[in-house]
């Protein structure tokens, strides 16, 4: 066969421990498993001695192509437009904030500045009903309607009354409730946990107790890890689902295996209602404005985190990677339909945050930064939802129009851009780093899939 070449959109990721390499086409979202020898030939663009039998599946997956570079670029532009349009039609993620207050003092919290400069407000029942009215208007006839309680700390002792009211009112309207919580006070909400109340929890930890208790500090400096884990088990016993986010800096990265061992021996990894993922800690606007901090010096990039995850089957089986990026890469590795989102996080999926003052924000990390408020839901005629415009803005952030990673990196985190430049429009990623991120997460997804298949066989 003549006129064939390796696609411009192919990148190679070593996976497993036997020399296997994945060839990933980032335009069409396809993957092909290669031997190390075949991978070397493709890297060298040497197709002369490759048999038709080996070439045929590579052509089917667009790893090898007869298209010209110009034809591929036009195909890429069409795919970018297609996914951008799909992202507009996905049901939004909706968050409701009972208050901005929190009773822990996590050293890296992005809301410290907001709480220092903004008067404390707790949502009233009247405001809560207006928020739920707005939620119903947002979803319209969409049957899958769910809201995540967010903060501050939504499940703090001071919020008990309004959260109980929200649980009852949401259930009457057929709206499912989840909560993003530090879980320190979760025992105060035991009766509200489970399928008929708050059915799922997003719980954040900072590694095992040795690192967590230095970063996630309780009242009067009390240690928090053991109490949080006790409450995680309480929630699971009540029938709630738990998704655990592990915030990672250099110290947590070094202790990730210790956390995995703890989750394994405590039985959490074996519970089908429990899952965990890792995500890098990031600088906050307050830290950047204050200059270099100890926290800043200990941060790790997502490329280092992805590489660590991709180098260990045990870690890859225990933890997914950061969802905005990992999920898209995992879909490619598994041969699934490409996910619709193009932008990163809230810039890739419509996000609507309703705060206790009646303001509407497009990003949970930017809630309270009033310059980013996109409307108000307490007016007689609530402002029109412009979350679609925010997503459209996000899909245009990547200025490297020919970059083969543009469908996956989303130009980085919008909050990270804001923290360092004061604008969410500035890309916050590095194409060279992202190639390492993609390879690491591809290896992690490959290892995780293999571990799951082995478990099914046994």
């Amino acid at each position: 066969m003549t006129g064939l070449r390796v696609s411009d959109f192919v990148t190679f990721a070593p996976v497993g421990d036997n020399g296997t390499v994945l060839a990933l086409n980032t335009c069409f979202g396809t993957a092909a498993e290669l031997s190390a020898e075949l991978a070397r030939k493709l890297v060298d663009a040497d197709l002369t001695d490759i048999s038709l039998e080996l070439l045929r599946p590579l052509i089917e997956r667009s790893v090898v192509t007869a298209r010209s570079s110009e034809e591929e670029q036009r195909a890429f532009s069409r795919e970018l437009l297609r996914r951008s349009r799909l992202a507009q039609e996905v049901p939004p993620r909706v968050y409701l904030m009972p208050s901005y207050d929190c009773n822990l003092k996590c050293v890296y919290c992005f809301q410290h500045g907001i709480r220092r400069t903004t008067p404390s407000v707790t949502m009233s029942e009247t405001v809560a009903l207006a928020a739920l009215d707005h939620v119903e208007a947002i979803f319209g006839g969409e049957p899958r309607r769910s809201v995540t309680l967010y903060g501050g700390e939504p499940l703090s002792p001071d919020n008990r009354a309004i959260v109980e009211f929200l649980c009852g009112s949401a259930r009457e309207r057929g709206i499912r409730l989840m909560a993003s919580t530090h879980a320190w006070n979760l025992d105060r909400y035991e009766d509200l946990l489970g399928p008929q109340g708050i059915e799922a929890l997003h719980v954040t930890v900072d590694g095992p107790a040795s690192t967590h208790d230095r970063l996630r500090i309780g009242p009067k400096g009390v240690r928090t890890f053991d109490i949080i884990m006790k409450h995680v088990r309480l929630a699971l016993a009540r029938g709630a689902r738990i998704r655990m986010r592990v915030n990672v800096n250099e110290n947590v990265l070094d202790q990730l295996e210790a956390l995995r061992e703890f989750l394994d021996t405590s039985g959490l990894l074996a519970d089908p209602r429990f899952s965990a993922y890792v995500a890098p800690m990031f600088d906050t606007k307050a830290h950047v404005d204050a200059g270099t901090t100890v926290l800043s010096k200990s941060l790790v990039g997502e490329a280092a985190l992805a590489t660590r995850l991709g180098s260990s089957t045990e870690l890859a089986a225990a933890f997914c990677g950061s969802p905005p990026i990992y999920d898209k890469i995992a879909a490619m590795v598994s041969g699934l339909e490409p996910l619709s989102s193009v932008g990163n996080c809230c810039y890739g999926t419509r996000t609507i945050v309703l705060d206790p003052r009646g303001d509407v924000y497009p990003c949970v990390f930017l809630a309270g930064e009033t310059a980013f408020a996109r409307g108000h839901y307490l007016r007689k005629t609530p402002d029109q939802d412009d979350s679609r415009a925010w997503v459209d803005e996000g899909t245009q952030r990547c200025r490297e129009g020919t970059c083969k990673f543009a469908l996956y990196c989303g130009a980085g985190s919008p909050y990270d851009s804001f923290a360092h430049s004061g604008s969410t429009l500035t890309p916050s990623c590095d194409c060279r780093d992202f190639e390492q991120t993609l390879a690491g997460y591809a290896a992690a997804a490959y290892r995780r899939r293999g571990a799951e298949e082995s478990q099914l066989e046994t």
Side-chain angles (χ1 to χ4, degrees):
M1 301 179 71
T2 59
L4 293 177
R5 64 187 186 87
V6 178
S7 168
D8 295 334
F9 288 89
V10 166
T11 188
F12 297 93
V15 297
D17 301 314
N18 58 358
T20 301
V21 176
L22 287 182
L24 307 163
N25 187 301
T26 56
C27 176
F28 299 101
T30 56
E33 198 169 321
L34 312 174
S35 67
E37 180 183 1
L38 180 55
R40 280 194 296 272
K41 290 183 177 182
L42 294 183
V43 169
D44 293 337
D46 180 11
L47 307 183
T48 54
D49 296 327
I50 302 177
S51 69
L52 180 59
E53 183 182 4
L54 290 176
L55 280 174
R56 188 173 288 115
L58 300 182
I59 295 170
E60 291 173 355
R61 292 174 175 82
S62 298
V63 173
V64 171
T65 183
R67 299 183 185 93
S68 67
S69 292
E70 292 74 15
E71 288 172 325
E72 281 201 305
Q73 186 58 50
R74 286 195 293 271
F76 177 77
S77 297
R78 289 193 297 270
E79 182 64 8
L80 181 63
L81 180 61
R82 186 185 76 85
R83 292 203 209 175
S84 297
R85 288 173 175 169
L86 283 175
Q88 303 286 11
E89 304 308 318
V90 173
R93 299 179 301 189
V94 180
Y95 297 84
L96 195 154
M97 300 178 66
S99 76
Y100 281 95
D101 297 338
C102 183
N103 54 348
L104 297 193
K105 298 179 180 179
C106 307
V107 298
Y108 54 83
C109 181
F110 60 92
Q111 285 184 344
H112 281 329
I114 300 296
R115 285 195 284 272
R116 280 198 302 266
T117 59
T118 305
S120 175
V121 176
T122 300
M123 185 172 279
S124 67
E125 291 185 1
T126 300
V127 173
L129 290 174
L132 291 176
D133 287 343
H134 194 66
V135 168
E136 290 192 294
I138 289 167
F139 282 113
E142 170 60 47
R144 297 169 295 167
R145 300 186 298 170
S146 64
V147 172
T148 299
L149 301 178
Y150 200 82
E153 171 48 46
L155 304 186
S156 69
D158 292 343
N159 289 343
R160 166 71 205 209
I162 191 60
V163 169
E164 185 172 352
F165 178 81
L166 281 165
C167 283
S169 300
R171 186 165 53 248
E172 290 173 1
R173 299 169 185 239
I175 298 172
R176 301 165 66 184
L177 277 189
M178 296 174 280
S180 180
T181 174
H182 58 45
W184 168 252
N185 303 113
L186 205 54
D187 56 329
R188 307 285 187 97
Y189 289 82
E190 181 176 0
D191 60 310
L192 299 180
L193 301 178
Q196 301 306 312
I198 301 172
E199 59 183 81
L201 299 168
H202 182 269
V203 178
T204 306
V205 299
D206 305 321
S210 60
T211 55
H212 174 100
D213 287 334
R214 294 202 301 268
L215 293 165
R216 191 161 289 254
I217 302 167
K220 298 181 180 179
V222 68
R223 298 185 176 191
T224 60
F225 183 84
D226 289 341
I227 292 294
I228 289 171
M229 288 302 172
K230 175 184 175 182
H231 291 164
V232 164
R233 289 188 283 271
L234 178 150
L236 290 170
R238 294 283 302 178
R241 301 189 312 277
I242 299 283
R243 191 173 197 203
M244 181 171 286
R245 173 187 173 116
V246 183
N247 285 325
V248 178
N249 64 4
E250 285 182 349
N251 294 328
V252 176
L253 189 62
D254 290 341
Q255 294 297 314
L256 208 51
E257 177 57 35
L259 177 62
R260 188 208 65 79
E261 289 179 4
F262 172 85
L263 297 176
D264 187 24
T265 56
S266 63
L268 291 174
L269 292 182
D271 193 315
R273 290 164 299 168
F274 178 89
S275 63
Y277 72 94
V278 292
M281 290 182 193
F282 49 78
D283 265 329
T284 68
K285 186 71 164 63
H287 287 139
V288 173
D289 289 346
T292 303
T293 66
V294 173
L295 173 66
S296 300
K297 292 178 180 178
S298 69
L299 296 179
V300 296
E302 190 145 21
L305 178 55
T307 299
R308 180 75 181 95
L309 210 60
S311 66
S312 166
T313 297
E314 288 187 327
L315 290 180
F319 306 107
C320 293
S322 185
I325 297 170
Y326 177 88
D327 291 349
K328 289 186 279 190
I329 296 171
M332 178 167 52
V333 170
S334 298
L336 302 177
E337 185 71 18
L339 303 187
S340 60
S341 64
V342 175
N344 188 295
C345 200
C346 65
Y347 258 158
T349 301
R350 288 175 59 210
T351 301
I352 298 165
V353 186
L354 310 179
D355 90 344
R357 295 190 290 268
D359 289 328
V360 181
Y361 291 91
C363 170
V364 292
F365 294 127
L366 293 170
E369 300 285 352
T370 54
F372 290 93
R374 311 291 280 200
H376 204 75
Y377 65 86
L378 292 179
R379 297 183 178 128
K380 290 183 179 179
T381 303
D383 297 330
Q384 186 176 1
D385 170 28
D386 67 348
S387 57
R388 285 183 170 86
W390 178 265
V391 172
D392 188 55
E393 178 180 283
T395 61
Q396 300 175 46
R397 289 173 74 223
C398 186
R399 297 169 187 167
E400 298 295 333
T402 60
C403 176
K404 62 184 176 183
F405 306 122
L407 287 169
Y408 291 85
C409 75
S413 160
Y415 180 82
D416 194 38
S417 298
F418 167 69
H420 288 93
S421 71
S423 168
T424 60
L425 294 176
T426 307
S428 62
C429 65
D430 183 295
C431 295
R432 291 165 299 181
D433 284 347
F434 191 80
E435 184 167 16
Q436 183 181 345
T437 298
L438 187 144
Y441 278 159
Y446 180 86
R447 288 178 181 273
R448 185 180 182 89
R449 187 183 65 180
E452 290 171 349
E453 290 172 351
S454 296
Q455 191 171 23
L456 288 174
E457 290 174 0
T458 57

